[in-house]
Amino acid sequence: MKLRRVLPFVLVTLLMVFIIAACESAPSQSDAGTTKESAGTSSNPPENMDPNGKYSKPVTLSRGVQTAAATKLLDGETLDDNRWSRLIKDKLNIDLKVSFSADSSTDAYKNKLNAIIASGDLPDTFQTQDANVFLQLAKNGQLADLTDVYNKYASDSVKAYQTRFADSFKGATIDGKLYAIPRMNDNFHEAPFLWIREDWLKNTNSQPPKTIEEMVALAKKFATGDPDGNGINGDTYGLALNKDLIRQNHGSILGLVSAFAVPGRDESMFYRDENGKMTFAWTQPNMKAALSQLADMYKEGLIDKEFTSKDESALVEDITSGKIGMAYGSNWGTWYPYNNVYKKDGVIVHPYPIPTKDGYDYKIGIESNAVGQMTMVSAKAKNPEAVIKILNLYDQTVNYSTKEDYLKYWSNEQYRLSPIYIDQPGEVYAADLLKAFDKGSSDGLAPAAKPLYDYIIGFEDGSLAKDDNAFGTWGQMSKSGSLPWVLNKYIPDNAIVQSILGIERPEVWLTNVSSLDTLTITTFTNIITGAKPVDYFDTFVKQWLKAGGQQTLDELDKMYPAK
């Protein structure tokens, strides 16, 4: 892919003053990484070419840290001093330094990162899920070219991921140069599900809904009756929404619009329709019917009237306190937030395939495998190879070491404390686990998949009933979990639609994406709440097309030609 000139989205200064505290490299180590061309390479290679080798002198690596509600600090540990920082120091002689941290489940991390980009004071390594940010940094020469250090230092196991997740690595590669370590996953796991409290189903003598009509009827029972059994009718809500609506958060509208053949997915869902025409999810005519359905539910009081002011954190409070009976959400629900419900009340909130709408072929939108979380290295970093060494250590410790190491360094969200991690063990093993359950044995599973098998078996036989990791894994990858619905229903039904939008984006889109995103959420919110009539959707489409949308479609048609 050729690097296209893009318009800046933040003030980026090219004269950066960056000091890496307490960072000592070997005498033969050059100051690699001061320009885009030299970043990540050196005429004098570092002292230790062993991918798992330990530096003879301490090396300091500064980092930006994404925190979230799911992040757990155990045993009195901190972001600066924890099991990963100590392991990395012990095995590699690398001192980790936290430059900044912020919550990535809100806009806090994004806003903090944008401010740091504008200042030019980038840490040695940091992450983003925003492809526009990654593209802009690469364009401005602020990222190290990792091609050489990856080829020289990556272990054979890590290099094998480049083949297994070729699309991911393609998305991290610009002009033939690797500018980030990608997430390494298959985005099939992004599909939405309908999560329902099992106790409320039982209390209302109901079955999981298979159609939109059944879902609405169930929401009415939850909102007007006494599903929680506290003796008060109408103090609960049938269907949860959060204010961001189109984000892949809990309480999104993604699963509902999918029933109306709209493969929704934040602001990135571009695809070719059945006629081969480039199109965009949120401008589909079928959205009128989906929004009309939501507006009716809101008017009937089945949806919290205050949803417009509730972000995911506020919504999770409602879920945990037992006010919400049902919500569309992602595959990791039993990891968060429904683990809170299980721990508090012993109640399982279970994933079900999205209810469908008669007359529509349901369609589910997912991102291109070429995009996702990117771990980047600053062009000013003196030891870019240190990140690859840590990646090797992570892979070996979590995926190919002992069960004790797996439990210590991956379980309970501890993998998040590593500066760089492969998004494993995880969804990529779902199909393998299903086969193992069928034969009743974990023999033949990859080392990283065997603990997942044990968690699920342990939760089902009760021996691990109180284990957070067992509950999370069970809800995600057991036979009755979320991901088997994708593998055994969504995919066979040809419902999955993958966005064509890879890492290459038109300038007009980069310029207008934020305003168009705001326009979409504002319009949909106004229609759902009744502030605008459903027919206002037609005005929205015209506004969207005029404000850069049509030009984006035209340029994408050329950028991603039909096959």
Side-chain angles (χ1 to χ4, degrees):
M1 185 189 85
K2 294 296 181 183
L3 178 62
R4 294 173 178 260
R5 182 177 63 84
V6 294
L7 296 177
F9 57 90
V10 293
L11 177 62
V12 181
T13 175
L14 297 178
L15 299 176
M16 297 187 295
V17 180
F18 190 75
I19 300 174
I20 303 178
C23 180
E24 295 181 8
S25 58
S28 61
Q29 171 70 24
S30 70
D31 290 331
T34 57
T35 68
K36 179 178 176 181
E37 289 74 21
S38 66
T41 64
S42 173
S43 57
N44 296 312
E47 53 167 328
N48 197 332
M49 294 291 289
D50 180 358
N52 300 311
K54 185 175 183 179
Y55 291 103
S56 62
K57 295 183 179 180
V59 165
T60 298
L61 190 76
S62 60
R63 57 184 294 230
V65 178
Q66 296 184 98
T67 62
T71 304
K72 295 181 181 179
L73 291 167
L74 306 176
D75 303 324
E77 296 179 346
T78 67
L79 292 178
D80 292 288
D81 181 17
N82 54 69
R83 61 199 62 198
W84 273 105
S85 66
R86 294 191 290 269
L87 178 69
I88 290 168
K89 175 64 176 178
D90 179 59
K91 297 293 185 181
L92 300 174
N93 203 15
I94 297 173
D95 294 312
L96 298 180
K97 174 187 174 184
V98 177
S99 291
F100 75 93
S101 64
D103 189 349
S104 61
S105 63
T106 67
D107 287 335
Y109 181 83
K110 179 178 71 173
N111 294 337
K112 182 69 173 179
L113 180 58
N114 283 344
I116 288 174
I117 291 171
S119 74
D121 195 22
L122 288 172
D124 290 335
T125 185
F126 54 100
Q127 296 169 326
T128 185
Q129 293 182 344
D130 190 330
N132 301 335
V133 171
F134 167 65
L135 192 61
Q136 183 70 32
L137 289 171
K139 174 257 180 184
N140 284 306
Q142 292 174 276
L143 300 182
D145 172 8
L146 300 176
T147 311
D148 288 346
V149 293
Y150 181 86
N151 290 335
K152 291 177 181 177
Y153 288 91
S155 65
D156 290 341
S157 173
V158 168
K159 286 180 179 177
Y161 295 123
Q162 198 166 13
T163 300
R164 183 174 184 180
F165 303 109
D167 287 347
S168 297
F169 276 87
K170 182 179 179 182
T173 302
I174 300 173
D175 291 340
K177 298 177 181 179
L178 184 67
Y179 283 103
I181 302 300
R183 186 181 186 194
M184 300 187 205
N185 212 333
D186 185 330
N187 285 332
F188 77 86
H189 70 278
E190 292 178 348
F193 309 88
L194 183 63
W195 293 81
I196 309 174
R197 286 184 65 118
E198 294 291 85
D199 59 334
W200 287 21
L201 278 178
K202 182 178 180 180
N203 292 345
T204 57
N205 194 30
S206 302
Q207 296 296 317
K210 295 182 178 180
T211 67
I212 288 292
E213 289 77 12
E214 291 176 354
M215 182 275 291
V216 173
L218 183 61
K220 185 172 293 188
K221 286 184 180 181
F222 286 174
T224 61
D226 182 26
D228 58 355
N230 69 350
I232 303 174
N233 291 338
D235 65 340
T236 48
Y237 301 108
L239 181 71
L241 289 185
N242 75 45
K243 68 183 184 67
D244 291 324
L245 291 178
I246 64 174
R247 302 278 185 265
Q248 195 196 10
N249 293 336
H250 298 285
S252 76
I253 64 172
L254 301 186
L256 187 141
V257 302
S258 292
F260 291 85
V262 178
R265 166 83 193 167
D266 56 50
E267 77 285 351
S268 66
M269 196 62 208
F270 292 91
Y271 60 103
R272 292 188 179 277
D273 62 19
E274 62 274 10
N275 298 315
K277 182 180 179 181
M278 186 68 69
T279 190
F280 181 63
W282 299 125
T283 59
Q284 298 306 300
N286 291 353
M287 274 302 302
K288 290 181 73 172
L291 290 170
S292 179
Q293 182 68 75
L294 285 165
D296 288 344
M297 295 180 71
Y298 181 87
K299 186 177 181 180
E300 290 185 51
L302 311 186
I303 296 169
D304 182 4
K305 298 290 186 181
E306 304 299 322
F307 87 85
T308 56
S309 63
K310 292 186 176 181
D311 58 14
E312 184 167 357
S313 296
L315 179 62
V316 168
E317 289 183 15
D318 285 346
I319 290 172
T320 304
S321 63
K323 294 181 180 180
I324 301 294
M326 185 164 50
Y328 289 97
S330 301
N331 79 81
W332 57 79
T334 47
W335 290 100
Y336 179 80
Y338 302 119
N339 60 323
N340 295 331
V341 179
Y342 182 67
K343 285 190 290 187
K344 178 176 176 289
D345 300 324
V347 170
I348 291 175
V349 183
H350 205 279
Y352 296 96
I354 62 167
T356 55
K357 178 69 175 177
D358 190 35
Y360 298 87
D361 292 328
Y362 75 101
K363 297 296 178 185
I364 291 171
I366 65 173
E367 283 185 309
S368 164
N369 288 332
V371 299
Q373 180 166 281
M374 301 284 188
T375 299
M376 299 156 288
V377 178
S378 168
K380 296 289 186 177
K382 291 183 178 180
N383 295 93
E385 78 287 340
V387 174
I388 309 301
K389 283 175 170 281
I390 293 173
L391 179 60
N392 294 337
L393 177 62
Y394 175 91
D395 186 44
Q396 181 61 39
T397 302
V398 171
N399 292 331
Y400 297 99
S401 191
T402 64
K403 183 175 181 179
E404 289 71 25
D405 281 342
Y406 172 88
L407 295 174
K408 180 177 181 179
Y409 293 103
W410 185 84
S411 297
N412 295 305
E413 305 291 333
Q414 295 307 289
Y415 68 91
R416 295 175 182 269
L417 299 176
S418 176
I420 182 171
Y421 51 83
I422 302 168
D423 199 11
Q424 299 208 64
E427 299 91 343
V428 293
Y429 293 120
D432 298 333
L433 286 166
L434 289 178
K435 294 177 182 177
F437 297 142
D438 284 339
K439 69 178 183 180
S441 171
S442 63
D443 292 345
L445 284 175
K450 289 184 177 181
L452 305 180
Y453 180 93
D454 292 340
Y455 276 140
I456 293 168
I457 297 299
F459 184 80
E460 291 181 342
D461 68 18
S463 61
L464 295 176
K466 296 182 182 293
D467 189 294
D468 282 355
N469 299 293
F471 180 61
T473 306
W474 173 81
Q476 189 178 41
M477 287 186 278
S478 69
K479 280 191 170 185
S480 59
S482 55
L483 293 181
W485 287 120
V486 183
L487 298 172
N488 296 329
K489 180 172 174 58
Y490 293 174
I491 292 176
D493 285 351
N494 294 315
I496 301 294
V497 179
Q498 191 169 60
S499 175
I500 59 88
L501 191 63
I503 199 63
E504 193 173 18
R505 281 108 194 275
E507 290 181 10
V508 64
W509 180 244
L510 294 169
T511 304
N512 294 301
V513 59
S514 180
S515 59
L516 289 175
D517 189 44
T518 299
L519 173 65
T520 302
I521 294 176
T522 300
T523 300
F524 290 2
T525 300
N526 285 336
I527 292 175
I528 293 170
T529 59
K532 296 285 186 182
V534 174
D535 284 342
Y536 185 76
F537 175 79
D538 299 329
T539 301
F540 155 74
V541 173
K542 293 176 183 177
Q543 291 175 332
W544 188 91
L545 292 171
K546 186 177 180 180
Q550 184 61 61
Q551 187 179 347
T552 298
L553 291 170
D554 294 340
E555 293 191 20
L556 284 173
D557 198 42
K558 300 174 184 177
M559 190 174 288
Y560 296 95
K563 296 180 180 178

